[in-house]
Amino acid sequence: MKKIFLFLAFLLPQIVAAQQNVAEKALQDLKQNTRLGGYVIGQATVNDQRGNDVQADGSLRLVRVSASGKVLDFGYMLQLQVNGSSSNKNGNEPRIVDAWVEWQRLDFLRVKFGQFKRAFTFENPIHPWETGPGSYSQLTTRLAGFSDRVGEHSSNGRDFGLQLQGDFLPVAQDRHPLFHYQIGAYNGQGINRGDRNTRKDIIGGIAVRPVKELQVGLFGWDGDFVKDGLKVDRKRWAVGAMYDGCISARAEYAHSVGRKITTAADGTSTISGADRADAWYAMVGVPVGEKVKLWAKYDVYRDAKEWNTARSLYILTADYNFTKNLKLQLNLTRVNDRALNHAGQDGDYNMADLQAYFRF
């Protein structure tokens, strides 16, 4: 017994000292590695759509501030979207968009917990600065949880969950990873909302990178959405490819099974819409000198997986980068909305928008 007490008397100070060292290192990391930043995207738009009461508009598309960094083996991020109206009931009020922590010690196994981007499609996790022409594709906005077709509030492609991801099998002379995977369990209700049933959304994907610049991926989503006591399925898959080299190119297709929950002006909700929807896009960007990049994009969303519900966008874009933190973007878009045409409205019109990007 005496030997045990002597051993503990020797060991306890070592444990206390080690804990103090870890605490001091964590505090030092927090002070030195925390990065504060943000960005602003302003937008002015015009259109020639007949019957549209607003044919010219200007707005702050996005204003976000963030804090991110790494403490010991844990990365973290807190990001707030601060533009919007607190009286807006569509989910566009100032809000938390990211709030997560991730264990990052192993490249082949990282564990993320909190509120973050869903692991669905190549485009969803891309920063708004880097998406290419204009904003995100209709595939992403309607089928990855931005303004999701099921009736979920605006969630910027995010949800609360637990995710595993990693890279493995380095190849070629540059030792880039051949495979990347992500899989997570999410609430299924979007950002800043608790779950409303016991089922979780399971979302994941795997990407193969035969060369460093090229990725080919497959994604899946098995879940549901609950609102006002109603429930609809949300079962989706997507396939795509992305190239980032001397040119930039990306193309994806997504298919969705599940209807919608729509809320009328009187507040009553009903299940509506078709049980099938799909979307696809293809885009390419070519640099012209050091500061200019030109883009072309074809973007289609079909709300009922039928051509009479197709909304097609044909987009030409020019970026001018003053510096790495300041750029202007001009987008010219031709819209062909067959659903509007079938409803007797003007579904063939043109849009132009000028966006200013600034980050700090």
Side-chain angles (χ1 to χ4, degrees):
M1 184 64 70
K2 182 178 179 180
K3 290 182 179 180
I4 294 176
F5 282 120
L6 290 174
F7 176 73
L8 292 175
F10 169 78
L11 186 61
L12 286 175
Q14 307 301 320
I15 295 175
V16 172
Q19 290 178 333
Q20 289 177 340
N21 289 337
V22 170
E24 290 174 1
K25 178 65 166 58
L27 183 59
Q28 184 179 13
D29 286 350
L30 188 63
K31 291 179 178 179
Q32 295 182 354
N33 298 336
T34 298
R35 299 180 301 275
L36 302 177
Y39 60 94
V40 179
I41 304 177
Q43 183 177 48
T45 64
V46 295
N47 69 80
D48 62 1
Q49 184 182 26
R50 295 187 306 275
N52 189 344
D53 293 334
V54 181
Q55 292 190 323
D57 190 19
S59 64
L60 288 173
R61 179 184 145 200
L62 286 175
V63 181
R64 290 182 176 170
V65 295
S66 64
S68 61
K70 189 173 183 179
V71 173
L72 302 177
D73 294 325
F74 295 88
Y76 59 90
M77 184 174 193
L78 175 65
Q79 182 171 217
L80 310 178
Q81 182 166 321
V82 298
N83 64 310
S85 170
S86 59
S87 62
N88 192 310
K89 299 189 181 302
N90 295 318
N92 294 320
E93 68 276 1
R95 60 198 184 275
I96 298 172
V97 289
D98 285 293
W100 54 261
V101 61
E102 183 179 48
W103 183 66
Q104 299 177 341
R105 185 169 184 175
L106 303 174
D107 290 338
F108 64 86
L109 178 61
R110 296 187 172 195
V111 183
K112 181 182 285 189
F113 178 72
Q115 184 168 285
F116 49 86
K117 288 274 191 174
R118 290 160 162 143
F120 191 72
T121 77
F122 279 126
E123 187 174 78
N124 186 28
I126 295 176
H127 193 284
W129 192 288
E130 309 293 344
T131 55
S135 184
Y136 292 92
S137 305
Q138 296 179 100
L139 181 153
T140 303
T141 58
R142 303 297 286 160
L143 300 181
F146 276 67
S147 298
D148 201 286
R149 74 181 301 272
V150 297
E152 181 182 271
H153 66 288
S154 179
S155 293
N156 303 98
R158 295 164 167 87
D159 201 355
F160 193 94
L162 174 68
Q163 175 184 272
L164 307 180
Q165 67 171 326
D167 301 294
F168 59 96
L169 197 56
V171 296
Q173 291 184 348
D174 58 22
R175 308 305 290 166
H176 72 271
L178 181 61
F179 295 103
H180 173 80
Y181 73 91
Q182 290 176 278
I183 185 166
Y186 305 80
N187 280 345
Q189 295 300 125
I191 62 173
N192 306 318
R193 293 283 202 282
D195 206 346
R196 296 184 178 178
N197 62 6
T198 58
R199 184 180 180 184
K200 301 300 177 185
D201 283 15
I202 305 300
I203 307 174
I206 186 166
V208 181
R209 181 174 281 184
V211 295
K212 185 178 181 180
E213 296 82 6
L214 174 65
Q215 296 184 71
V216 180
L218 177 66
F219 306 87
W221 183 336
D222 181 30
D224 58 24
F225 176 67
V226 178
K227 183 179 180 181
D228 298 333
L230 303 174
K231 183 177 75 170
V232 292
D233 286 333
R234 188 153 44 173
K235 300 179 184 296
R236 296 171 179 172
W237 60 268
V239 62
M242 181 166 62
Y243 182 84
D244 190 10
C246 55
I247 65 170
S248 299
R250 191 167 68 248
E252 297 190 87
Y253 173 84
H255 181 271
S256 175
V257 176
R259 300 181 68 190
K260 311 177 188 179
I261 300 175
T262 56
T263 303
D266 61 3
T268 59
S269 295
T270 57
I271 295 177
S272 63
D275 192 46
R276 299 288 190 275
D278 65 354
W280 64 90
Y281 70 90
M283 54 186 283
V284 62
V286 179
V288 181
E290 294 183 357
K291 294 183 177 295
V292 177
K293 195 166 188 177
L294 303 180
W295 300 84
K297 183 177 184 180
Y298 175 51
D299 182 351
V300 180
Y301 169 68
R302 301 192 302 178
D303 194 50
K305 203 183 175 184
E306 296 176 354
W307 276 108
N308 61 5
T309 66
R311 185 175 187 265
S312 303
L313 307 179
Y314 306 84
I315 306 172
L316 295 176
T317 296
D319 283 341
Y320 186 84
N321 294 273
F322 293 93
T323 70
K324 67 177 183 178
N325 291 326
L326 176 63
K327 76 172 180 179
L328 287 179
Q329 183 181 84
L330 175 65
N331 299 286
L332 304 176
T333 304
R334 174 64 177 176
V335 180
N336 173 231
D337 192 326
R338 299 190 184 191
L340 286 181
N341 286 334
H342 281 288
Q345 303 176 50
D346 182 13
D348 296 299
Y349 58 95
N350 303 291
M351 298 190 302
D353 68 80
L354 182 65
Q355 301 191 53
Y357 293 70
F358 168 69
R359 59 187 171 190
F360 52 91

